[in-house]
């Protein structure tokens, strides 16, 4: 019998990866393509959806070639994606009416401040578990329908975008829905991605009519919501399409929920932190949606076919790995691998703190007008101090969220499972353990985002029978335990708060306009 596998499309903020996994959860094929980051104005971030789709097809073909496999050897495809990033496209032609607005995009901050002024923040939080923020999809869809007119596709009637949306001619969705549509022709999203739109009631498990009305998003536009692992399948790839085979598309998870799933955090109290462009700390809270009093989000973790939704608390940190990319952009380092060597070459930052609020601050601060700040520099400050301060900022932001998580959940953190590209850096992992004062566990397969969506798809088609099989696959690569003096760390952490205070409420609308 021919060996079979499960494929995972991992569509991220900076690129698209395709990974193929065997039954033991090991990687047998891998391919990656970057896509362009588009910055039309300060604080605006866009992607080209057609470029992402072309890259997706390419990495699937390349990943199969890397593994030496035929498409027919894939039992299922899963999708994981950068969340909140929003596309509006033509139902008939499949062409986007505008570039995707990326989760980092801040152009709708004014709209969010209107909601705050109208005392609608708590109303939104009660329904969605989310803060009112430009981060989420609702204001992005609204902006595209109101402002994409110059780029619209002409319909036969020549109507404006809003009229076309109401007539059902336009569809919207996050990246998972865009890929499912292109792979299968069906307009579907999963519960985890729906929960990130600020349009979905996470306890009623349905699109909320009042929220749709608030943001003027016709219900005809939004996708059907399905379980994250769906035995009824989202659809199949086209036998006459680029793969030349009918492969079930059976699982989807927003990237951070996928990492939670890939880290086998199936039980209440299990927690993980993923270090990518940003960092996202999630704790499984079981079948109860735990509300936050400390600036965290209440979100849907995942749902298996025929089972109740599992909820999570989430701390969303907007910039962590992207801060290391910034060090490259300004020529302080040549590549990310240099950071550990440079940071280790000095005993401390010499009092320098870096707050990487390049796109505002997320949890637990939620300040869309915060901006990147470096404080404490002297003539003796060298690039080594700045590099170390940048790595420390990743660890401090994680501690901010960990303390909020413990306060909301009442669960004391004993160990944190970590994943993502940055955890290959042993110095950062040890630093994180020291600053958060808890054990850090790094798994053998650190691409747990892709693994999580593969698990979801594989469970749906019976490639794996139970989640216990997946637990057996999880293996520790290395553990890190605190080595630094706790009292000294606490003093450094207190000073971090002073640095954060200086970054808050920095951006001003008139200044942004002056740069355009």
């Amino acid at each position: 019998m021919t060996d079979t596998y499960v494929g995972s499309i991992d569509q991220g903020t900076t690129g698209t990866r395709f990974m193929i996994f065997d039954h033991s959860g090991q990687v047998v094929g891998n391919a990656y393509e970057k896509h362009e980051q588009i910055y039309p104005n300060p604080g605006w971030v866009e992607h080209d959806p057609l470029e992402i789709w072309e890259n997706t097809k390419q990495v699937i073909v390349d990943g199969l070639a890397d593994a030496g496999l035929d498409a027919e050897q894939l039992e299922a495809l899963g999708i994981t994606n950068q969340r909140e990033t929003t596309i509006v496209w033509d139902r008939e032609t499949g062409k986007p009416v505008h570039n995707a607005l990326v989760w980092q995009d801040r152009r709708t901050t004014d709209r969010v401040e209107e909601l705050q002024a109208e005392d609608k923040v708590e109303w939104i939080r009660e329904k969605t578990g989310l803060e009112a923020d430009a981060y989420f999809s609702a204001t992005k869809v609204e902006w595209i329908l109101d402002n994409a007119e110059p780029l619209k596709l002409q319909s036969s009637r020549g109507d404006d975008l809003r009229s076309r949306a109401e007539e059902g001619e336009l569809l919207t969705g996050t990246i998972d829905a865009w890929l499912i549509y292109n792979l299968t022709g069906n307009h579907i999203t999963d519960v985890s991605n729906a929960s990130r739109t600020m349009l979905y009631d996470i306890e009623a498990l349905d699109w909320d009519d009042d929220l749709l009305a608030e943001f003027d998003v016709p219900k005809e536009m939004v996708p059907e919501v399905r379980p994250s692992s769906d035995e009824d399948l989202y659809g199949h790839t086209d036998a006459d399409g680029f793969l030349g085979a009918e492969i079930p598309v059976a699982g989807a998870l927003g990237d951070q929920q996928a990492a939670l799933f890939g880290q086998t955090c199936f039980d209440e109290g299990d927690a993980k932190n993923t270090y990518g462009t940003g960092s996202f700390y999630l704790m499984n809270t079981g079948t109860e949606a735990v509300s936050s009093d400390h600036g965290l989000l209440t979100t849907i973790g995942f749902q298996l076919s025929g089972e109740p939704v599992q909820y999570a608390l989430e701390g969303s940190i907007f910039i962590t790995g992207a801060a290391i990319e910034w060090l490259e952009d300004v020529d302080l380092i040549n590549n990310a691998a240099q950071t550990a060597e440079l940071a280790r070459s000095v005993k401390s930052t010499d009092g320098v703190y870096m707050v990487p609020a390049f796109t505002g601050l997320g949890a637990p601060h939620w300040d869309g007008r915060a901006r990147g700040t470096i404080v404490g520099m002297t003539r003796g400050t060298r690039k080594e101090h700045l590099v170390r301060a940048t790595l420390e900022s990743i660890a401090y932001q994680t501690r901010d969220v960990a303390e909020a998580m413990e306060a909301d959940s009442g669960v004391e953190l004993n160990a944190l499972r970590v994943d993502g590209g940055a955890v290959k850096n042993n110095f950062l992992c040890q630093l994180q353990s020291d600053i958060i004062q808890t054990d850090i566990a790094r798994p053998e397969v650190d691409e747990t985002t892709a693994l999580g969506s593969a698990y979801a798809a594989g469970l749906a088609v019976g490639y794996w029978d139970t989640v216990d099989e997946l637990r057996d696959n999880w293996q520790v690569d290395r553990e890190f335990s605190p080595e630094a003096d706790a009292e000294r760390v606490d003093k450094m952490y207190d000073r971090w708060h002073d640095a954060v205070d200086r970054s808050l409420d920095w951006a001003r609308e008139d200044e942004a306009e002056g740069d355009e």
Side-chain angles (χ1 to χ4, degrees):
M1 182 181 119
T2 305
D3 289 337
T4 59
Y5 306 87
V6 175
S8 173
I9 300 163
D10 183 353
Q11 204 301 296
T13 307
T14 55
T16 307
R17 186 177 299 281
F18 183 66
M19 302 187 84
I20 302 169
F21 295 92
D22 65 16
H23 206 271
S24 64
Q26 296 299 306
V27 179
V28 298
N30 190 355
Y32 179 77
E33 287 281 345
K34 275 191 168 183
H35 59 259
E36 184 183 2
Q37 306 296 308
I38 302 165
Y39 306 106
N41 287 308
W44 295 26
V45 192
E46 298 180 359
H47 293 156
D48 178 351
L50 295 176
E51 181 189 10
I52 285 174
W53 170 234
E54 290 303 315
N55 286 358
T56 299
K57 291 188 287 185
Q58 189 63 52
V59 294
I60 293 174
V61 170
D62 291 348
L64 286 165
D66 180 57
L69 300 177
D70 295 324
E72 289 85 353
Q73 289 176 264
L74 296 177
E75 288 209 15
L77 286 173
I79 295 169
T80 181
N81 55 288
Q82 51 167 321
R83 303 170 305 170
E84 300 91 21
T85 296
T86 304
I87 305 172
V88 175
W89 68 94
D90 184 286
R91 181 191 294 271
E92 189 174 331
T93 67
K95 297 291 175 61
V97 304
H98 191 274
N99 281 335
L101 302 196
V102 179
W103 59 273
Q104 299 162 314
D105 190 280
R106 307 307 301 176
R107 75 187 66 186
T108 58
T109 297
D110 282 352
R111 176 69 171 106
V112 169
E113 289 172 349
E114 283 178 23
L115 296 168
Q116 292 166 346
E118 293 165 3
D119 290 329
K120 291 180 176 176
V121 172
E122 190 57 36
W123 172 67
I124 289 170
R125 188 188 290 118
E126 285 176 2
K127 289 174 179 285
T128 68
L130 307 177
E131 292 288 325
D133 196 86
Y135 174 33
F136 305 108
S137 306
T139 60
K140 300 181 192 298
V141 183
E142 183 181 43
W143 188 95
I144 291 173
L145 292 179
D146 285 340
N147 295 281
E149 200 66 18
L151 299 176
K152 75 174 186 180
L153 294 170
Q154 295 296 325
S155 71
S156 56
R157 300 195 315 278
D159 288 347
D160 65 19
L161 289 180
R162 285 210 167 277
S163 299
R164 295 181 60 204
E166 287 161 10
E167 292 295 320
E169 291 184 26
L170 300 182
L171 303 177
T172 191
T174 41
I175 295 283
D176 61 307
W178 169 245
L179 294 180
I180 291 167
Y181 176 86
N182 281 286
L183 288 165
T184 71
N186 297 323
H187 189 214
I188 288 168
T189 190
D190 94 295
V191 289
S192 73
N193 278 294
S195 77
R196 311 298 297 187
T197 60
M198 216 161 74
L199 296 168
Y200 190 75
D201 188 319
I202 61 170
E203 298 204 56
L205 300 180
D206 201 1
W207 299 110
D208 186 86
D209 290 334
D210 294 333
L211 289 170
L212 291 169
E214 171 67 38
F215 298 102
D216 206 5
V217 178
K219 201 163 192 174
E220 293 79 9
M221 288 187 75
V222 293
E224 179 186 355
V225 183
R226 296 276 198 87
S228 315
S229 174
D230 190 5
E231 292 173 0
D232 292 333
L233 311 180
Y234 305 149
H236 292 80
T237 59
D238 187 347
D240 298 323
F242 75 101
L243 276 178
E246 286 192 18
I247 311 300
V249 182
L253 287 154
D255 52 10
Q256 304 313 319
Q257 287 93 334
L260 189 76
F261 207 78
Q263 288 272 33
T264 67
C265 293
F266 302 134
D267 298 324
E268 185 176 345
D270 289 348
K272 69 88 199 176
N273 195 28
T274 298
Y275 300 77
T277 301
S279 284
F280 299 85
Y281 188 134
L282 271 73
M283 177 185 284
N284 185 330
T285 62
T287 56
E288 180 187 358
V290 176
S291 59
S292 174
D293 297 320
H294 297 85
L296 303 179
L297 306 177
T298 305
T299 195
I300 290 176
F302 56 86
Q303 183 184 27
L304 305 180
S305 285
E307 294 190 15
V309 159
Q310 296 270 313
Y311 293 94
L313 277 171
E314 173 174 332
S316 307
I317 304 167
F318 293 158
I319 300 289
T320 53
I324 295 172
E325 291 177 1
W326 177 79
L327 292 174
E328 287 188 63
D329 294 342
V330 296
D331 295 328
L332 287 174
I333 60 172
N334 296 321
N335 55 68
Q338 268 192 302
T339 57
E341 176 189 348
L342 288 169
R344 196 180 282 114
S345 71
V346 289
K347 291 182 179 178
S348 73
T349 67
D350 272 3
V352 174
Y353 286 80
M354 194 275 209
V355 183
F358 301 132
T359 57
L361 285 174
H365 311 285
W366 294 106
D367 185 346
R369 296 196 182 278
R371 286 296 179 266
T373 305
I374 300 172
V375 296
M377 290 193 294
T378 68
R379 283 283 283 125
T381 300
R382 304 197 309 276
K383 71 177 179 180
E384 290 84 353
H385 298 114
L386 292 171
V387 169
R388 185 172 181 124
T390 301
L391 291 182
E392 286 189 2
S393 77
I394 296 173
Y396 288 134
Q397 290 181 101
T398 303
R399 178 161 168 175
D400 284 346
V401 169
E403 294 198 347
M405 196 77 70
E406 288 188 357
D408 278 332
S409 68
V411 177
E412 185 176 350
L413 184 69
N414 294 316
L416 180 64
R417 296 184 175 192
V418 299
D419 55 75
V423 304
K424 295 179 176 71
N425 184 327
N426 289 337
F427 181 84
L428 175 61
C429 287
Q430 184 59 55
L431 187 66
Q432 184 67 88
S433 178
D434 288 339
I435 287 176
I436 207 172
Q437 287 291 294
T438 196
D439 292 340
I440 299 291
R442 181 175 67 195
E444 281 186 1
V445 178
D446 59 18
E447 292 289 353
T448 52
T449 303
L451 181 60
S453 74
Y455 280 165
L459 281 169
V461 299
Y463 186 74
W464 291 284
D465 292 325
T466 67
V467 294
D468 287 333
E469 286 184 71
L470 309 183
R471 283 191 181 95
D472 291 341
N473 283 348
W474 193 84
Q475 301 291 328
V476 172
D477 170 57
R478 182 168 169 183
E479 289 186 299
F480 300 84
S481 296
E483 295 175 356
D485 176 71
E487 187 176 344
R488 176 175 170 272
V489 168
D490 287 345
K491 286 180 180 176
M492 291 162 57
Y493 181 56
D494 287 343
R495 197 66 168 138
W496 157 257
H497 290 143
D498 295 336
V500 169
D501 287 344
R502 283 156 174 77
S503 76
L504 299 177
D505 196 31
W506 183 262
R508 288 282 182 269
E509 200 61 35
D510 54 346
E511 292 172 3
E513 287 171 2
D515 290 333
E516 290 176 15

